[in-house]
Amino acid sequence: MVNLSVIHYAYIIIIIIITLIIALKKDVILPCILGIGIIGYIFTGDILEAVQIIYKAIVVSGKEFIEIVVVIALVNAMSSALHDMGTDELIIKPMKKLMINKTISFFILGITVTIASWFIWPTPAVVFIGALMVPAAIESGLQPVWAAVVLCLFGNGVALSSDFVLQAAPSITAKTANLPNALGIIKKCLPFWAVMSIITITTAFILMKKDKHTIITKVDQSITETKKQLFGTKIMAIITPLIFILDIILIKKLQFIGSESTSLIGGTAAVIMIISSIIHVGFITSLGEVTKYIKGGFTFGINIFAPIIVIGAFFFLGSVGSATDILGNGASGILSDIGMYLASKIPLSKYSVVGIQTAVSTLIGFSGSGFAGLPLVGTLANTFSSAINVDKESIAAFGQIITVWIGGGTIIPWSVVAAAGICKVEPFEVARKNIIPVACGIVATVLLAMIIL
């Protein structure tokens, strides 16, 4: 049985302080750094080691985020190269015919990123779909921050929480719940997934409609028309979407998931950037232009991620693997410990089981990783089903939905950076927009669980 110690209580207090500061719309870099140092000192009892742990935590966090930093940088560099050619205007021209206002753009963008995420994983899907469709959505009147909300809620919420095609999430949950396969989890999650998705998306849509701010995009027609006459511009406008569509086909055919699919999208963006630059200015001049695009892309990526890396460093102390990397041998996931402690102390009934799964899923979700909590969710479901009369597959599926929606990339600022980066908005602003819709969805899903379990 897990017992809570000073380090657990200190971590909870620091999280509460950070949450209050976020609610006041203030930066939380300082309390996160101090929090890492405090936890490091409590764990080691040595002030010198505590100072070193601050550095280690930021390095570990940086390693976790570097893949997304690179893919965002490369896609941004590609976008700059295509923009300089005028190719981006030609690519989004057909989409403009569909995206005639922000209401239609909201759902077309959302449905597209959901389907793409089912097949190629949310992060590369968000980057790919965002790069091609967000400009058209914004031009139709959808604010950049709401475009980022759509990418997060549909990609990291609707698609990732179900994961019907790749089945990575239900497979993890099923394995730790001691179930033979993921099929049972998928079937049982359908009502929870439907309620969570419908309530969350509907709430977000209502809030978006009430937001009266309108984007007016002005385009220099004389420059655009001149660029459109270039043969190379037209060729790249055709080739670019086709290459990315080919990527999707390859990802599905070769069954790439996670970093494999992200790396294919990122590498493709780099190749398109180089080809575009050579066609636009010639090989010799492109030697300097490509360097400029890469510098600009990485400057943009680091500018977005710098605070997120530091904030994430504190919250990575909550999960087992990263806590060991940061604090050293003997460390455990602080949030995981708290979750197990709650499960062991609360008397079990249908309602308390739902409450424990919700609380544990929320705690684990704060680490910013939807999948990190799935093993614990499955383990708890297995434990609960042997202790009381509750369906194992249903309680596991319920926990999966809540865990992924919270930690998978909707309300945790450092987990929405891919969408925020593509839409060029602040991650904290995106997370704030998502809080009310996701909270409404969770309340509805919890009520459903108490009724049908």
Side-chain angles (χ1 to χ4, degrees):
M1 185 181 72
V2 176
N3 291 313
L4 300 188
S5 61
V6 174
I7 196 169
H8 297 95
Y9 291 112
Y11 197 72
I12 293 171
I13 292 170
I14 296 168
I15 287 179
I16 292 172
I17 292 171
I18 290 172
T19 303
L20 290 174
I21 293 173
I22 290 175
L24 294 172
K25 298 184 179 181
K26 302 294 183 181
D27 291 336
V28 294
I29 298 294
L30 189 152
C32 283
I33 293 175
L34 292 178
I36 297 168
I38 291 169
I39 297 300
Y41 179 74
I42 294 173
F43 183 79
T44 63
D46 188 302
I47 187 119
L48 186 59
E49 287 189 45
V51 172
Q52 291 176 312
I53 283 171
I54 293 174
Y55 172 79
K56 289 179 181 178
I58 294 173
V59 170
V60 168
S61 180
K63 289 178 180 178
E64 292 289 333
F65 285 117
I66 188 61
E67 182 178 5
I68 305 178
V69 173
V70 173
V71 75
I72 291 294
L74 292 175
V75 170
N76 182 270
M78 177 195 72
S79 298
S80 297
L82 294 175
H83 176 73
D84 286 350
M85 289 184 72
T87 302
D88 54 347
E89 279 294 313
L90 288 180
I91 290 174
I92 68 173
K93 189 175 181 179
M95 299 174 191
K96 289 180 184 177
K97 295 178 182 179
L98 296 174
M99 295 180 167
I100 57 176
N101 57 52
K102 65 180 183 180
T103 295
I104 294 176
S105 295
F106 182 97
F107 288 104
I108 288 180
L109 181 61
I111 292 170
T112 304
V113 80
T114 298
I115 295 171
S117 296
W118 274 333
F119 285 92
I120 66 170
W121 210 249
T123 298
V126 164
V127 173
F128 165 53
I129 299 299
L132 293 181
M133 297 184 66
V134 163
I138 292 174
E139 198 159 321
S140 73
L142 189 66
Q143 290 184 59
V145 68
W146 283 110
V149 166
V150 171
L151 294 176
C152 290
L153 295 184
F154 281 91
N156 296 322
V158 175
L160 187 59
S161 64
S162 55
D163 197 10
F164 294 134
V165 179
L166 299 177
Q167 300 182 11
S171 294
I172 294 172
T173 307
K175 184 176 181 180
T176 54
N178 198 26
L179 293 168
N181 54 59
L183 185 60
I185 298 291
I186 292 173
K187 289 181 178 178
K188 296 292 186 178
C189 88
L190 283 174
F192 302 122
W193 171 76
V195 168
M196 182 73 202
S197 299
I198 291 170
I199 297 298
T200 302
I201 298 304
T202 301
T203 306
F205 177 71
I206 293 171
L207 293 175
M208 184 274 293
K209 292 292 287 184
K210 287 184 176 181
D211 193 337
K212 299 299 182 182
H213 184 74
T214 303
I215 298 295
I216 300 176
T217 305
K218 296 181 179 180
V219 180
D220 187 337
Q221 294 294 335
S222 61
I223 295 177
T224 303
E225 291 302 320
T226 300
K227 288 178 179 177
K228 286 181 180 178
Q229 300 306 312
L230 297 176
F231 178 74
T233 301
K234 295 178 181 179
I235 290 296
M236 288 307 300
I238 297 171
I239 290 177
T240 299
L242 289 178
I243 292 177
F244 277 114
I245 290 171
L246 177 61
D247 278 355
I248 294 176
I249 294 171
L250 290 173
I251 287 169
K252 178 59 181 171
K253 186 179 178 77
L254 301 175
Q255 297 184 330
F256 287 169
I257 61 172
S259 60
E260 292 175 322
S261 54
T262 302
S263 61
L264 183 58
I265 296 294
T268 299
V271 171
I272 291 173
M273 172 199 63
I274 293 171
I275 295 172
S276 300
S277 182
I278 292 173
I279 291 175
H280 184 46
V281 297
F283 180 77
I284 299 299
T285 307
S286 70
L287 295 174
E289 287 295 293
V290 168
T291 301
K292 181 189 75 174
Y293 293 138
I294 288 292
K295 283 183 177 179
F298 274 89
T299 298
F300 173 77
I302 292 298
N303 187 53
I304 292 289
F305 276 86
I308 299 302
I309 289 172
V310 176
I311 296 167
F314 172 77
F315 284 89
F316 279 136
L317 291 168
S319 58
V320 180
S322 52
T324 302
D325 292 337
I326 295 169
L327 298 174
N329 294 331
S332 61
I334 300 175
L335 289 176
S336 301
D337 288 347
I338 296 170
M340 292 299 292
Y341 178 81
L342 291 174
S344 67
K345 291 296 182 180
I346 300 175
L348 295 183
S349 68
K350 181 178 77 169
Y351 301 107
S352 65
V353 163
V354 172
I356 292 169
Q357 276 286 48
T358 303
V360 170
S361 298
T362 302
L363 283 171
I364 300 300
F366 281 150
S367 68
S369 172
F371 276 34
L374 294 183
L376 181 54
V377 164
T379 301
L380 287 177
N382 191 41
T383 302
F384 294 149
S385 65
S386 61
I388 64 171
N389 184 27
V390 64
D391 183 69
K392 183 196 297 187
E393 293 174 336
S394 294
I395 193 64
F398 165 74
Q400 174 183 301
I401 295 294
I402 303 298
T403 301
V404 173
W405 268 95
I406 291 177
T410 59
I411 63 172
I412 308 300
W414 45 98
S415 67
V416 304
V417 287
I422 286 297
C423 298
K424 300 181 180 180
V425 293
E426 288 294 326
F428 279 93
E429 183 61 24
V430 179
R432 276 194 288 266
K433 294 284 188 185
N434 288 338
I435 286 175
I436 293 177
V438 172
C440 290
I442 289 173
V443 170
T445 306
V446 169
L447 292 175
L448 177 66
M450 290 184 175
I451 293 170
I452 69 174
L453 286 181

